[in-house]
């Protein structure tokens, strides 16, 4: 069975919060996964004393385990792939106009 | 819905209209009593007499008489108005409690702004001179907060707060932002103030310790007569995590200084040692804070995509405990009820960051 890296939605109504999980593809979304790799809080936040108005998103991730699961063939969903590409674990699926700094450090993608 | 005046009872409404016409400076919302009194004073009573039934059955001459209480109140206010109009003396207050010495319940103290509320006592606040002294000692002289706290008998947290507020004030002054000086002066002139001068009574206790509820019980601990039973042993008897009072002190260096003096050291030397150790402990605290912040920064990887900054905190997915349900494990837990659904769970935030 295909092993996927995907998000499991927790949180409340209008307050989503996701676990980044490794699970078999055909199991229910919030069922007990093989492993919880981290969390993803999609609600943008602002630093308490920051007046610039810049927003940030908090993510917790075990990078080593994520690399391992990618290495053994786990398939990330598009959303998870986007997050993993931010830390340079994978190439982004959809190239943004300017490559992310972590991805840019690696060798460019062959066309 | 308020009671309505029916159009059929025309005489009443006409009378009301007459009253309103007779009182041009008073708004429509004036009380019926005021209207009545106005009617009584107005000489044009011919129009009122057109109606056989009037609103009130009280004779007009009785209604215009102010009550005894009001007369007494007016007399009282005339007697004392000058006293309350003048500014209070330096550091004193002009509360009403200097006249009302006995309330409904008990004696009234001078620092009670409301004579019937014995729980509201107006404590002295730091005067602006005192706050400047504290700020100068910390920022100009470079004294440690603990030493300043001991010097003026002001709580360490208050010392820190005063310095922070002063810094903000200086910043606003430098940036030419408007300061509420008049407001400050007026409020300060009304409140009791502490000047932190040498002869003054101590501002507040500075070395109070928190009493843990575990230590409020009566315990019988058998111990050998030959054994020395210290405060640390007593704390351990109450619970493994209970600290002895010596470790709970806010400024333990002060106790050490007194010990040194008691053992024959010169006070100046003991004070110098106190200042040095206090500074050292504060430096260590600052280092620990800095190290904590650095550790947190090292754990976080920041990626900015222009719109948001994504902050990846590195965690260990293996920290899930023996049965995979550890509280410290990353993410929401499986097979556990959510804590916010628990009975008695307090959801009101307890701090502001």
């Amino acid at each position: 069975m295909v092993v996927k890296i995907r998000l499991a939605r927790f949180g409340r109504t209008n307050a989503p919060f996701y676990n980044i999980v490794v699970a078999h593809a055909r199991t229910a979304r919030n069922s007990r996964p093989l492993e919880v790799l981290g969390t993803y809080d999609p609600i943008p936040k602002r630093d308490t004393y920051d007046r610039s108005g810049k927003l940030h998103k908090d993510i917790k991730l075990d990078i080593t385990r994520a690399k391992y699961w990618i290495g053994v063939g786990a398939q990330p969903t598009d959303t998870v792939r986007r997050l993993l590409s931010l830390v340079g674990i994978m190439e982004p699926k959809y190239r943004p106009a300017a490559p992310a700094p972590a991805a840019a450090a690696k060798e460019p993608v062959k066309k | 819905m308020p009671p309505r005046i029916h159009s059929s009872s025309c005489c009443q409404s006409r009378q009301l209209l007459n009253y309103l016409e007779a009182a041009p400076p008073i708004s429509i919302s004036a009380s019926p009593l005021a209207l009545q009194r106005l009617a009584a004073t107005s000489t044009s009573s011919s129009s009122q007499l057109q109606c056989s039934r009037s609103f009130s059955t009280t004779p007009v001459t009785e209604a215009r008489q102010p009550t005894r209480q009001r007369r007494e109140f007016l007399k009282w206010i005339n007697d004392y108005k000058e006293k309350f109009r003048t500014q209070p003396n330096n550091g004193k207050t002009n509360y009403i409690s200097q006249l009302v010495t006995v309330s409904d319940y008990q004696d009234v103290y001078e620092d009670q702004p409301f004579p019937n509320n014995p729980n509201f006592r107006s404590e002295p606040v730091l005067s602006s001179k005192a706050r400047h002294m504290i700020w100068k000692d910390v920022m100009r002289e470079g004294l440690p907060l603990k030493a300043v706290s001991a010097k003026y008998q002001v709580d360490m947290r208050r010392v820190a707060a005063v310095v922070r507020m002063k810094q903000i004030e200086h910043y606003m002054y430098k940036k030419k932002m408007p300061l509420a000086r008049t407001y400050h002066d007026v409020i300060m002139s009304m409140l009791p103030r502490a000047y932190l001068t040498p002869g003054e009574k101590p501002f507040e206790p500075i070395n109070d310790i928190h009493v843990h509820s575990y230590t409020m019980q009566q315990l019988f601990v058998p111990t050998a007569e030959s054994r020395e039973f210290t405060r640390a042993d007593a704390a351990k008897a109450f619970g493994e995590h209970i600290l002895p009072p010596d470790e709970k002190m806010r400024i333990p260096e002060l106790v050490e200084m007194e010990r040194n003096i008691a053992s024959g050291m010169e006070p100046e030397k003991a004070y110098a040692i106190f200042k040095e150790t206090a500074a050292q402990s504060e430096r260590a605290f600052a280092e620990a804070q800095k190290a904590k912040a650095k550790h947190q920064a090292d754990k976080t990887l920041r990626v900015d995509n222009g719109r948001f900054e994504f902050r990846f905190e590195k965690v260990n997915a293996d920290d899930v405990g023996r049965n995979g349900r550890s509280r410290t494990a990353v993410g929401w837990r499986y097979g556990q009820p959510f804590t916010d659904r628990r009975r008695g769970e307090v959801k009101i935030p307890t701090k502001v960051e």
Side-chain angles (χ1 to χ4, degrees):
Chain A
M1 207 156 37
V2 178
V3 171
K4 301 214 93 171
I5 305 181
R6 65 187 185 191
L7 299 180
R9 192 192 193 277
F10 288 88
R12 298 263 174 255
T13 311
N14 297 329
F17 192 90
Y18 298 100
N19 272 5
I20 302 170
V21 300
V22 180
H24 287 300
R26 298 174 74 175
T27 51
R29 187 193 70 184
N30 276 18
S31 61
R32 185 185 280 263
L34 297 174
E35 189 170 344
V36 181
L37 291 183
T39 60
Y40 170 48
D41 187 353
I43 296 174
K45 294 191 174 58
R46 120 177 343 135
D47 284 325
T48 315
Y49 296 111
D50 183 35
R51 292 296 178 85
S52 68
K54 183 76 181 163
L55 297 167
H56 71 267
K57 290 189 181 188
D58 288 322
I59 300 164
K60 286 182 182 174
L61 186 66
D62 187 339
I63 293 174
T64 322
R65 290 300 290 171
K67 276 182 183 162
Y68 162 76
W69 280 110
I70 296 295
V72 296
Q75 297 173 6
T77 56
D78 283 356
T79 315
V80 172
R81 183 165 181 173
R82 187 173 59 84
L83 295 179
L84 295 183
S85 68
L86 284 171
V87 279
I89 294 175
M90 295 193 80
E91 293 296 341
K93 188 173 179 184
Y94 308 105
R95 294 294 310 214
K106 299 174 85 181
E107 63 179 63
V109 188
K110 286 172 190 168
K111 283 184 181 172
Chain B
M1 202 172 136
R4 295 171 64 196
I5 298 167
H6 295 291
S7 55
S8 57
S9 62
C10 62
C11 68
Q12 281 185 358
S13 61
R14 199 186 308 139
Q15 194 180 17
L16 188 70
L17 274 175
N18 282 338
Y19 289 171
L20 293 177
E21 277 164 15
I26 290 183
S27 66
I28 304 294
S29 63
S31 68
L33 196 73
L35 290 175
Q36 208 176 49
R37 202 176 297 155
L38 248 169
T41 50
S42 69
T43 49
S44 61
S45 56
S46 59
S47 61
Q48 293 160 30
L49 294 174
Q50 287 170 4
C51 186
S52 59
R53 280 174 294 172
S54 67
F55 253 167
S56 169
T57 51
T58 315
V60 180
T61 46
E62 270 180 39
R64 69 193 289 190
Q65 185 87 354
T67 58
R68 182 176 57 85
Q69 280 173 321
R70 184 163 170 77
R71 265 181 283 134
E72 279 173 5
F73 167 70
L74 288 172
K75 183 180 176 306
W76 185 85
I77 216 148
N78 270 325
D79 288 354
Y80 293 109
K81 68 182 170 196
E82 282 313 315
K83 182 174 178 51
F84 289 107
R85 202 170 270 162
T86 47
Q87 287 261 334
N89 288 331
N90 232 7
K92 292 275 193 248
T93 55
N94 224 353
Y95 296 147
I96 201 168
S97 47
Q98 46 187 318
L99 297 179
V100 186
T101 48
V102 179
S103 79
D104 296 352
Y105 309 108
Q106 56 186 27
D107 287 354
V108 175
Y109 296 93
E110 264 211 12
D111 57 354
Q112 241 175 275
F114 305 103
N116 275 354
N117 184 357
N119 296 318
F120 193 123
R121 303 290 285 273
S122 167
E123 302 282 349
V125 297
L126 291 175
S127 66
S128 43
K129 253 186 204 160
R131 278 182 284 128
H132 183 73
M133 275 184 340
I134 288 173
W135 175 84
K136 212 173 92 184
D137 276 5
V138 175
M139 299 306 289
R140 291 266 183 276
E141 313 287 326
L143 281 178
L145 294 186
K146 283 178 179 177
V148 177
S149 170
K151 184 176 171 187
Y152 297 120
Q153 297 286 305
V154 175
D155 194 296
M156 221 160 58
R157 289 166 296 180
R158 199 183 301 279
V159 169
V162 163
V163 173
R164 279 198 295 265
M165 295 294 277
K166 274 296 219 188
Q167 286 297 101
I168 293 172
E169 189 186 324
H170 286 193
Y171 171 81
M172 289 172 77
Y173 185 75
K174 219 180 270 176
K175 290 265 167 190
K176 293 195 168 62
M177 288 154 94
L179 298 175
R181 288 227 185 274
T182 316
Y183 176 78
H184 166 266
D185 293 347
V186 169
I187 291 289
M188 281 311 251
S189 74
M190 292 196 291
L191 291 172
R193 277 152 287 165
Y195 294 92
L196 306 183
T197 43
E200 217 172 292
K201 74 168 189 176
F203 184 72
E204 61 189 340
I206 54 167
N207 232 354
D208 275 359
I209 55 172
H210 171 246
V211 179
H212 198 283
S213 61
Y214 276 31
T215 61
M216 296 296 283
Q217 59 183 326
Q218 203 174 19
L219 265 192
F220 293 98
V221 183
T223 176
E225 204 176 333
S226 56
R227 195 179 145 226
E228 199 186 355
F229 194 78
T230 60
R231 282 193 285 241
D233 294 323
K236 195 144 275 181
F238 281 121
E240 279 301 311
H241 62 287
I242 299 293
L243 291 172
D246 306 285
E247 285 175 43
K248 281 204 266 188
M249 295 257 175
R250 251 181 238 293
I251 315 178
E253 293 85 356
L254 213 51
V255 180
E256 197 54 41
M257 182 181 84
E258 291 300 330
R259 273 207 192 109
N260 283 342
I261 292 172
S263 65
M265 193 185 274
E266 282 168 30
E268 287 79 25
K269 197 182 170 199
Y271 183 61
I273 290 173
F274 161 69
K275 272 202 294 193
E276 184 45 44
T277 46
Q280 219 166 11
S281 77
E282 275 171 31
R283 245 175 282 142
F285 181 76
E287 289 292 324
Q289 294 282 94
K290 217 182 277 177
K292 204 174 155 192
K294 188 178 180 300
H295 178 247
Q296 191 59 35
D298 286 348
K299 253 192 358 184
T300 336
L301 186 67
R302 292 162 184 243
V303 183
D304 200 336
N305 74 344
R307 192 168 172 210
F308 299 120
E309 186 184 64
F310 289 85
R311 293 184 186 165
F312 288 86
E313 192 188 320
K314 291 171 197 162
V315 292
N316 189 359
D318 291 332
D319 284 342
V320 287
R322 192 170 44 80
N323 56 1
R325 289 178 176 184
S326 163
R327 280 174 178 280
T328 53
V330 68
W332 281 47
R333 297 192 297 160
Y334 292 86
Q336 299 276 320
F338 303 128
T339 47
D340 62 349
R341 290 286 183 204
R342 234 168 31 178
R343 259 180 87 176
E345 189 76 23
V346 178
K347 291 174 198 161
I348 304 164
T350 51
K351 63 172 181 178
V352 179
E353 277 181 16

